[in-house]
Amino acid sequence: MRKLITVLFLVVLTLTFFSVSAFAEGYTVGVVVKNVGNPFMDAAGRGAEEACNELGNSFIFQGPPTPTVEGQIEIIENLIAQQVDAICITANDFDALVPVLQKAKRNDIKVVSFDSAVAPAGRDVHVNQANPELIGILQVQTIAEMIDYEGEIAILSAGATMTNQNTWIEYMKEELKNPKYENIELVTIVYGDDLRDKSYNEAMGLFKSYPNLKGIISPTTVGISATAKAITDAGLIGQVKLTGLGLPSEMAEWVHNGACEAFFLWNPIDLGYLASYVAGLLCDGAITGEAGEEFSAGRMGDYTIVEAEDGGTEVLLGPPFRFDISNIDEWKDIY
Ligand code: RAM
């Protein structure tokens, strides 16, 4: 009996040692954003780092200086060479990153796209911020109310190949087919590439090219704040209305001066946290990315992996949130 107890004791000790050392060693998660210098991406990075810390994983945050596919490919190649365990990426292109991400997968690296998806062949799972159809519809409804359902509108987007903006724009176009918008004309879509100066100049260009422009939808945090500044500088507050997706921290000034009365977003810190948590669970083998799998993501609670519209699988963060003069000051210091 004593022998048995000693053996059991040794077994427990060994198991404890191995599980603790495995945990202490942790995984390395590389987060690749569209580009650096975008506060939305910094906020997502803060959330991703928080989840890494909770799970005992190491965290790397990288992005190209401008939002290019080539820049992201170079970073991914480096992460593969460094033998990271997982990559979380917000993609500058749906298809073009697939080959390098498949190379990552062949090297046993788990791939989570978040915010802006890569094609299913290049990922294990996508972490989606909110229902894309709802994101599109809300922005059209809001600009329509702002301009009394009449006049020319334009879209000032991010990069022309970015999955998330392109998907939302498709849903905006669908929504605009509803007869209640028959007096609204979408005159053009321009791209500021998530660069502040380019977005500002594109907005100024719109005022020149379309003197009767009544409204702009900008479904990018960089684009909407640059457009609000352009509206302000051009003396067009009240004449050209603006909605889209923005960070409260960057938009508070423009809500207060009337350049943008209302816009939407989700919590980018939570989005990064969830993506990085999912990456940790994939590394652990706790999930594989299959539809139907359920998991608990720390402070964010329980989630289920579901089929995505693009044929892959995804996890949905939650509904988008509306910001306006009634709540902007509560949020402007958070993200
Ligand atoms: C910009 C980026 C990001 C998008 C937000 C709304 O920060 O393009 O991908 O989700 O806007």
Side-chain angles (χ1 to χ4, degrees):
M1 188 63 188
R2 245 172 107 168
K3 228 179 182 173
L4 186 69
I5 291 175
T6 315
V7 170
L8 276 176
F9 178 71
L10 283 175
V11 168
V12 169
L13 204 70
T14 315
L15 284 177
T16 313
F17 173 76
F18 278 116
S19 53
V20 167
S21 57
F23 179 74
E25 194 185 347
Y27 302 105
T28 302
V29 179
V31 173
V32 185
V33 295
K34 286 178 170 179
N35 65 314
V36 289
N38 175 352
F40 175 96
M41 299 300 168
D42 294 341
R46 287 207 300 281
E49 186 171 19
E50 182 192 344
C52 277
N53 289 341
E54 275 178 31
L55 294 172
N57 294 336
S58 311
F59 169 75
I60 299 174
F61 181 87
Q62 285 176 345
T66 55
T68 61
V69 173
E70 297 72 30
Q72 288 194 316
I73 291 176
E74 201 181 315
I75 290 171
I76 296 164
E77 290 282 9
N78 282 332
L79 292 174
I80 296 172
Q82 285 176 55
Q83 298 181 319
V84 299
D85 299 288
I87 291 173
C88 294
I89 180 158
T90 164
N92 284 329
D93 191 290
F94 189 67
D95 293 311
L97 293 164
V98 169
V100 74
L101 290 172
Q102 283 184 335
K103 178 175 172 191
K105 287 171 83 172
R106 283 196 301 277
N107 281 272
D108 280 333
I109 297 172
K110 304 294 177 195
V111 180
V112 177
S113 62
F114 72 104
D115 178 53
S116 184
V118 280
R123 70 184 200 231
D124 289 292
V125 67
H126 177 62
V127 175
N128 201 342
Q129 46 276 73
N131 178 310
E133 184 176 9
L134 184 62
I135 297 175
I137 291 176
L138 282 173
Q139 293 174 79
V140 170
Q141 282 176 349
T142 306
I143 201 73
E145 282 162 21
M146 287 176 170
I147 64 167
D148 291 328
Y149 290 82
E150 200 173 338
E152 295 178 356
I153 62 165
I155 295 173
L156 194 156
S157 189
T161 63
M162 290 177 184
T163 321
N164 50 349
Q165 273 88 12
N166 286 347
T167 311
W168 301 328
I169 290 170
E170 279 315 305
Y171 282 116
M172 289 180 203
K173 288 182 182 162
E174 271 307 304
E175 175 69 5
L176 282 168
K177 287 182 188 159
N178 186 313
K180 70 177 170 182
Y181 305 115
E182 64 187 0
N183 295 326
I184 295 180
E185 188 192 353
L186 173 61
V187 288
T188 188
I189 302 173
V190 294
Y191 298 91
D193 289 343
D194 267 353
L195 300 172
R196 227 160 276 283
D197 289 353
K198 181 152 196 275
S199 305
Y200 180 87
N201 292 337
E202 289 293 341
M204 287 296 193
L206 287 175
F207 308 147
K208 238 198 211 136
S209 310
Y210 301 94
N212 295 322
L213 195 69
K214 290 278 175 302
I216 298 177
I217 298 177
S218 187
T220 137
T221 57
V222 179
I224 194 173
S225 61
T227 304
K229 181 166 168 31
I231 288 175
T232 305
D233 292 352
L236 291 173
I237 295 176
Q239 237 165 289
V240 177
K241 303 284 187 165
L242 172 67
T243 192
L245 306 173
L247 280 171
S249 55
E250 294 188 299
M251 294 302 291
E253 181 182 357
W254 315 121
V255 170
H256 282 291
N257 82 352
C260 177
E261 289 160 35
F263 62 96
F264 300 85
L265 201 69
W266 40 89
N267 186 325
I269 304 169
D270 289 351
L271 183 65
Y273 179 94
L274 187 56
S276 153
Y277 212 101
V278 165
L281 295 178
L282 285 167
C283 291
D284 256 349
I287 55 172
T288 65
E290 288 295 303
E293 288 179 333
E294 293 174 357
F295 62 92
S296 213
R299 66 166 171 81
M300 306 235 0
D302 297 337
Y303 286 88
T304 305
I305 300 178
V306 296
E307 306 277 357
E309 277 176 29
D310 60 14
T313 61
E314 69 178 17
V315 180
L316 206 60
L317 179 75
F321 199 74
R322 180 185 158 109
F323 298 96
D324 55 30
I325 195 72
S326 71
N327 60 5
I328 189 76
D329 290 335
E330 282 165 45
W331 289 95
K332 69 177 198 288
D333 296 327
I334 302 176
Y335 56 82

